[in-house]
């Protein structure tokens, strides 16, 4: 991977053979790391006491009898197949027919509550009564995405909210039939594709490529969007088809956009899943914990399309989107450079500021002229709303060209430059992005944690239904200081120690604390400050039992060896 961190490979301004070579190496790295994840997942789930999650029901009693006889459910795993992608885990895995355990692992160093998606294969469970049962007996509602048939097997895809999964640790859930716990403050879905959550109200544009219409933050009263093409509705989060005029060295230099050629991407309709379609999500308090909406949009005047899948949940002020892009456009010296841009107009906010992520930090830029700048995992725009501060953070996992044009935050999704590579972008691509809304100004550390979590989702690992020696809930490592994030945790290059790297992001500096699990801290008695080559240097670091304390400079790094 490091060989390809090169100034023409990174932005896509290389020749075709270079691109193909880089992609082949990346595929090999993905296969190796994916296999490592799978082996680690098996080891983690091998001796968990998943049978302790069984409810007090006749069906569970029968399962316990089968378990005692050695005939309990076991995971069916099909190897690195459907859904594995590059460095991912294969989705053809399940724990049996009636009770199916999944271990949810958190790769970040703080507790997280987020939705996870799992696949159940060849199951006779009633999809309308599915719940996710945790170690405390809570029965979390499940959102059914749909069924499908692949390679001779029936696939049921569902999602649920995994709650308070510990840092670098896991929580285990049992997918089974049951009655879901009541939903507090659910999402409501009404006429004209109107959605209301405890935080947001908006309509999804049936014919405007899934754009958010008349979006308002209930907490701040802030409205997002701006009228487009004479429409009354205020569009926010819409996709726009753009064309750059022909330009020399167009893989290296962005050209002037032909404003007359810009078009909002249009869609033929919208499909909404959730609520009454799943009996287990119905609650006396009304509303559903989540909805899922899909629209298929055609890029005007092209052979390209994009399928947008929205997740609208009740637990946070955010909207998560998966964009499956089928891009078939080729630029040339006559027609110019076609592309797509995600647009987030914030015209109703005053005194706008924008913050972009840098490696190990962030920067506020004053560039409202549309100049495109790189940002790692997020771009944040905020300002004054009707009732004080209001803002939105755009999180993404693979697109980095951001710009503020007036009061409109833009993210370039694709552009078909034509020299030196005539077809650098023609492919089916997937882009994940999220919109997180704020009623107060977030700190750089909060934004970095959001971006880190979006780029490192919770990992769902299938497990056997078994009696085991290990608990179904365990923490690994937690950074306890809000302005600090963990950027590395690894074995020492020399000896049997553990090396941690910490980053202070708010500019305040000071001591940071890290809590290790007893298992992780076993045998470690001292802490030593190191440089990036893991050579000992001066600096304060203390390990007392399972707690590490280390001083960090403002906006700085600290590398610590535990031995």
């Amino acid at each position: 991977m490091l060989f390809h961190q090169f100034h023409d490979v990174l932005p896509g301004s290389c020749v075709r053979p270079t691109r193909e070579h880089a992609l082949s190496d990346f595929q090999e790295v993905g296969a190796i790391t994916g296999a490592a994840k799978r082996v680690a997942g098996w080891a983690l789930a091998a001796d968990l006491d998943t049978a302790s999650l069984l409810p007090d029901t006749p069906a569970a009693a029968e399962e316990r009898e089968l378990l005692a006889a050695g005939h309990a459910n076991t995971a069916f795993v099909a190897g690195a197949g459907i859904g594995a992608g590059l460095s991912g885990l294969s989705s053809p895995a399940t724990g049996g027919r009636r009770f199916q355990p999944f271990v949810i692992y958190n790769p970040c160093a703080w507790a997280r509550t987020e939705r996870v998606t799992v696949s159940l294969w060849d199951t006779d469970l009633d999809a309308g009564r599915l719940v996710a049962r945790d170690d405390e007996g809570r029965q979390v509602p499940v959102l059914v995405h749909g069924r499908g048939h692949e390679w001779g097997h029936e696939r049921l895809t569902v999602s649920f909210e995994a709650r308070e999964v510990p840092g670098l640790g896991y929580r285990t859930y049992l997918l089974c039939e049951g009655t879901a716990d009541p939903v507090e403050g659910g999402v409501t879905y009404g006429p004209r594709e109107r959605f209301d959550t405890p935080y947001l109200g908006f309509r999804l544009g049936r014919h405007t490529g899934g754009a958010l219409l008349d979006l308002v933050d209930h907490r701040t009263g802030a409205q997002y969007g701006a009228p487009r093409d004479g429409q009354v509705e205020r569009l926010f989060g819409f996709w726009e088809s753009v064309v750059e005029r022909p330009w020399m060295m167009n893989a290296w230099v962005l050209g002037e956009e032909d404003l007359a050629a810009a078009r909002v991407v249009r869609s033929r309709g919208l499909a909404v899943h959730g609520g009454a379609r799943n009996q287990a999500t119905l609650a006396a308090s009304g509303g559903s914990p989540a909805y899922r909406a899909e629209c298929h949009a055609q890029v005007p005047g092209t052979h390209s399309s994009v399928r947008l899948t929205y997740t609208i949940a009740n637990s946070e002020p955010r909207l998560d989107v998966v964009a499956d892009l089928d891009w078939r456009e080729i630029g040339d010296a006559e027609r110019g450079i076609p592309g797509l841009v995600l647009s987030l107009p914030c015209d109703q906010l005053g005194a706008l500021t924008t913050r972009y992520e840098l490696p190990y930090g962030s920067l506020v830029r004053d560039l409202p002229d549309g100049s495109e700048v790189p940002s790692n995992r997020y771009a944040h725009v905020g300002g004054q709303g009707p009732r004080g501060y209001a803002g939105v953070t755009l999180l993404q996992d693979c697109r980095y060209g951001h710009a503020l044009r007036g009061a409109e935050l833009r993210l370039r999704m694709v552009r078909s430059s034509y020299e030196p590579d005539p077809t650098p972008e023609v492919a089916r691509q997937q882009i994940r992005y999220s919109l997180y809304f704020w009623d107060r100004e977030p700190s750089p550390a909060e934004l970095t944690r959001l971006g880190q979590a979006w780029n490192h989702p919770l990992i769902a690992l299938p497990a056997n239904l078994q009696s085991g020696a290990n608990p179904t809930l365990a923490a690994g490592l937690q950074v306890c200081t809000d302005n600090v994030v963990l950027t590395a945790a690894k074995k020492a290059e020399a000896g049997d120690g553990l090396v941690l790297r910490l980053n202070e992001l708010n500019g305040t500096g000071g001591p940071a604390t890290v809590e290790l699990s007893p298992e992780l801290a076993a045998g470690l008695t001292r802490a030593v400050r190191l440089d990036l080559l893991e050579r000992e240097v001066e600096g304060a670091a203390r390990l007392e039992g399972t707690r590490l304390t280390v001083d960090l400079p403002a906006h700085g790094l600290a590398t610590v060896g535990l031995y």
Side-chain angles (χ1 to χ4, degrees):
M1 284 296 295
L2 292 177
F3 179 80
H4 296 294
Q5 305 298 296
F6 171 67
H7 70 256
D8 280 328
V9 174
L10 285 172
S13 54
C14 54
V15 295
R16 180 175 176 176
T18 301
R19 169 168 59 90
E20 292 176 341
H21 178 64
L23 288 174
S24 67
D25 281 354
F26 183 68
Q27 202 167 31
E28 182 180 8
V29 170
I32 293 169
T33 55
K37 285 182 183 180
R38 171 57 70 196
V39 171
W42 283 334
L44 182 66
D47 199 24
L48 298 185
D49 188 16
T50 57
S52 65
L53 302 177
L54 286 169
D56 186 15
T57 64
E62 292 179 14
E63 205 65 44
R64 290 188 180 90
E65 292 177 4
L66 290 172
L67 182 62
H71 301 300
N73 293 341
T74 56
F76 153 63
V77 180
I82 300 167
L86 292 174
S87 82
L89 299 177
S90 175
S91 60
T94 186
R97 294 201 309 166
R98 292 184 296 177
F99 298 94
Q100 303 182 5
F102 281 89
V103 182
I104 309 303
Y105 177 76
N106 177 10
C108 295
W110 66 92
R112 293 163 62 186
T113 297
E114 293 173 16
R115 297 195 71 80
V116 294
T117 300
V118 299
S119 294
L120 309 179
W121 293 81
D122 300 331
T123 178
D124 59 359
L125 289 170
D126 181 353
R129 299 193 64 247
L130 274 177
V131 296
R133 184 178 175 85
D134 69 6
D135 51 287
E136 297 180 3
R138 294 177 296 191
Q139 304 211 122
V140 182
V142 166
L143 175 63
V144 176
H145 292 201
R147 293 185 180 272
H149 298 273
E150 298 183 64
W151 302 101
H153 297 277
E154 183 176 305
R155 176 181 185 175
L156 175 65
T157 304
V158 302
S159 65
F160 61 92
E161 186 178 74
R163 300 171 180 172
E164 289 297 314
V165 183
L168 293 187
Y170 63 86
R171 178 164 235 144
T172 312
Y173 284 85
L174 196 65
L175 273 292
C176 58
E177 293 178 7
T179 301
D181 295 339
V183 176
E184 296 296 332
V187 181
T188 60
Y189 171 51
R192 300 183 66 203
E193 286 70 53
R194 172 76 189 186
F195 291 89
D196 276 285
T197 81
Y199 306 96
L200 306 172
F202 60 91
R203 292 190 296 115
L204 273 180
R206 177 173 288 275
H207 303 295
T208 54
L212 305 169
L213 307 182
D214 304 321
L215 173 64
V216 63
D217 188 325
H218 294 318
R219 302 165 299 171
T220 65
Q223 297 182 1
Y224 294 88
R228 300 286 296 189
D229 301 331
Q231 299 180 51
V232 176
E233 294 97 345
R234 306 183 64 81
L235 301 185
F236 185 81
F238 63 90
W239 285 56
E240 188 173 42
S241 173
V242 299
V243 179
E244 297 173 42
R245 292 189 172 93
W247 193 261
M248 295 184 300
M249 299 183 67
N250 50 78
W252 290 270
V253 182
L254 294 172
E256 181 184 2
E257 287 185 11
D258 182 357
L259 297 181
R263 297 286 186 274
V264 175
V265 172
R266 301 291 176 178
S267 51
R268 295 185 294 271
L270 193 71
V272 178
H273 306 276
R277 294 176 180 270
N278 182 357
Q279 298 168 26
T281 65
L282 297 182
S285 59
S288 170
Y291 279 87
R292 184 169 172 265
E294 295 181 7
C295 76
H296 190 276
Q298 192 70 32
V299 181
T302 74
H303 297 288
S304 299
S305 62
V306 58
R307 186 177 74 248
L308 297 174
T309 304
Y310 284 86
T311 298
I312 305 152
N314 69 331
S315 56
E316 288 187 288
R318 70 186 298 164
L319 300 169
D320 297 339
V321 189
V322 176
D324 291 293
L325 175 61
D326 185 356
W327 186 251
R328 306 185 182 189
E329 308 315 305
I330 300 175
D332 58 45
E334 292 184 4
R335 292 171 294 179
I337 304 164
L340 291 173
V341 172
L342 174 68
S343 177
L344 305 172
C346 300
D347 299 66
Q348 301 302 299
L349 301 183
L352 283 181
T353 60
T354 49
R355 182 177 292 275
Y356 303 95
E357 188 182 28
L358 309 173
Y360 300 99
S362 64
L363 183 66
V364 174
R365 296 184 187 269
D366 182 18
L367 293 170
D369 60 353
S371 298
E372 191 160 306
V373 296
S375 192
N376 283 0
R377 295 171 293 196
Y378 71 80
H380 174 78
V381 58
Q384 285 300 117
R387 298 196 289 268
Y389 187 90
V392 59
T393 303
L394 170 61
L395 308 168
Q396 46 72 28
D397 69 344
C398 60
R399 295 296 189 268
Y400 309 102
H402 300 75
L404 187 69
R405 190 168 69 182
E408 178 186 19
L409 181 64
R410 295 164 65 83
L411 174 63
R412 194 172 298 276
M413 292 302 199
V414 66
R415 70 184 291 266
S416 286
S417 59
Y418 54 85
E419 59 175 3
D421 186 348
T423 58
E425 296 289 353
V426 176
R428 290 180 176 175
Q429 311 172 38
Q430 186 175 91
I431 307 161
R432 297 171 58 253
Y433 64 95
S434 180
L435 307 174
Y436 195 103
F437 297 86
W438 297 88
D439 60 353
R440 59 176 178 79
E441 185 171 7
S443 70
E446 287 178 301
L447 295 174
T448 296
R449 289 192 178 202
L450 276 178
Q452 192 177 95
W454 185 248
N455 280 261
H456 298 278
L458 298 176
I459 300 172
L461 304 164
N464 293 341
L465 189 61
Q466 62 193 13
S467 296
N470 292 329
T472 57
L473 171 68
L477 180 153
Q478 174 130 342
V479 176
C480 305
T481 309
D482 291 340
N483 59 321
V484 174
V485 298
L486 179 77
T487 65
K490 60 185 289 292
K491 289 185 177 181
E493 293 297 314
D496 297 326
L498 176 68
V499 172
L500 306 179
R501 187 164 296 120
L502 301 166
N503 181 202
E504 200 284 320
L505 291 152
N506 290 351
T508 55
T513 58
V514 178
E515 187 68 33
L516 285 70
S517 68
E519 294 79 9
L520 195 60
L524 303 176
T525 59
R526 64 189 183 97
V528 179
R529 291 290 290 266
L530 305 172
D531 64 12
L532 295 181
L533 297 180
E534 299 186 17
R535 299 172 299 195
E536 188 169 343
V537 296
E538 293 184 359
R542 301 177 300 280
L543 180 64
E544 299 172 338
T546 60
R547 178 165 289 240
L548 167 68
T549 304
V550 58
D551 291 331
L552 271 78
H555 301 296
L557 295 170
T559 303
V560 183
L562 304 178
Y563 303 97

